[in-house]
Amino acid sequence: MSMNLFRLSGDMCHVVSLLLLIWKLKTSKNCLGISARMQELYLIVFVCRYMDLFLYFISLYNTIMKILFLVITSFSIYLIRFKPPISQTYNRKIDKFSYEKYLLGPVLALTLLTTKSYKFFDITWTYSIWLESVAILPQLTMLYQQREVENITSHYVATMGLYRAFYLINWVYRYFFETPSFVCVVCWVAGFIQTALYVDFFYYFAKSKWYGKKLVLPFTGDV
């Protein structure tokens, strides 16, 4: 994948979001408002996408970023699930979005219908793209049930949304300015879905910042 300002901005937003997450967990000693189930989905995404990590070398930057995403995501799951006192504040009753039931199987079926070939790495890569498009659902579901969102948590989720929004712009840029044009329908559709899922959150996030108030999301009922 070629580098441009939009892709770099997306990567940096992703790194910042992960660092914000770890900073929140380590400094507050709690994981209130953080979905371990979303982190687990992202770990599945990264494992599937980076299975060729030690087989093909693209660039030092690419390798470092892949390892960084895998390590930080794994570490965050460890902190939330197993590391006291942080793990003792984990609310399993709210973080209950059943991705095993609603996402893993359907995404696999979609992958088999849309993968460009049935080679192992093509299947796992396509699966990771589709799965990432909906990986935010456990986090959003949790926040909308909780309603009040801590400042650091809101910034963490917002930077996660910006990360994929920049990647979407990156793909548009590459389509118009690269030769040959970058074409990846799976990337485009999945990126649009992922960005669209953040729209409602971004509306309330921007509104809270504009009025200088704490982010309070509307209650959407039990999920």
Side-chain angles (χ1 to χ4, degrees):
M1 182 183 291
S2 63
M3 179 60 70
N4 58 64
L5 179 61
F6 302 113
R7 182 199 167 188
L8 181 62
S9 297
D11 285 345
M12 292 305 103
C13 283
H14 199 175
V15 171
V16 168
S17 71
L18 293 174
L19 294 179
L20 282 173
L21 172 61
I22 298 301
W23 184 77
K24 180 261 190 302
L25 295 174
K26 296 292 286 184
T27 57
S28 68
K29 303 298 182 184
N30 72 69
C31 58
L32 298 176
I34 301 298
S35 170
R37 298 184 70 76
M38 186 192 81
Q39 299 304 315
E40 291 162 359
L41 278 175
Y42 264 99
L43 185 59
I44 296 172
V45 166
F46 295 143
V47 169
C48 289
R49 188 171 301 168
Y50 304 148
M51 280 191 172
D52 61 350
L53 176 60
F54 299 108
L55 296 178
Y56 304 105
F57 179 79
I58 298 175
S59 68
L60 182 60
Y61 172 86
N62 184 274
T63 300
I64 290 174
M65 295 299 281
K66 288 178 178 180
I67 294 174
L68 188 66
F69 294 151
L70 285 165
V71 170
I72 295 182
T73 304
S74 299
F75 184 54
S76 68
I77 294 171
Y78 163 72
L79 291 177
I80 297 170
R81 290 284 192 184
F82 307 109
K83 179 65 174 177
I86 298 171
S87 60
Q88 295 169 339
T89 66
Y90 176 52
N91 193 336
R92 290 171 173 80
K93 293 182 179 179
I94 296 180
D95 189 23
K96 60 180 182 178
F97 185 92
S98 183
Y99 63 75
E100 303 91 339
K101 178 180 179 181
Y102 296 113
L103 298 182
L104 298 186
V107 168
L108 178 59
L110 182 60
T111 296
L112 295 176
L113 291 173
T114 57
T115 183
K116 68 178 182 180
S117 80
Y118 288 98
K119 295 179 181 178
F120 179 73
F121 287 139
D122 283 337
I123 292 174
T124 56
W125 180 85
T126 305
Y127 185 78
S128 77
I129 296 296
W130 285 123
L131 187 61
E132 186 178 11
S133 72
V134 291
I136 190 61
L137 286 175
Q139 181 66 67
L140 291 179
T141 300
M142 186 179 189
L143 291 181
Y144 275 90
Q145 290 185 75
Q146 180 179 294
R147 297 196 65 202
E148 290 193 8
V149 184
E150 291 182 351
N151 191 48
I152 187 66
T153 303
S154 68
H155 283 85
Y156 156 65
V157 176
T159 51
M160 283 291 291
L162 285 174
Y163 139 65
R164 213 52 181 175
F166 274 119
Y167 256 71
L168 194 59
I169 299 171
N170 155 64
W171 292 325
V172 173
Y173 173 86
R174 293 180 63 194
Y175 176 78
F176 285 105
F177 294 101
E178 281 190 3
T179 304
S181 296
F182 173 78
V183 177
C184 179
V185 176
V186 169
C187 295
W188 295 343
V189 176
F192 177 79
I193 292 171
Q194 186 173 356
T195 304
L197 288 175
Y198 283 91
V199 169
D200 190 65
F201 174 85
F202 271 126
Y203 168 75
Y204 289 104
F205 176 77
K207 188 177 179 180
S208 71
K209 295 304 175 185
W210 179 264
Y211 291 105
K213 296 181 179 180
K214 186 174 184 178
L215 176 58
V216 179
L217 298 170
F219 181 66
T220 57
D222 193 22
V223 178

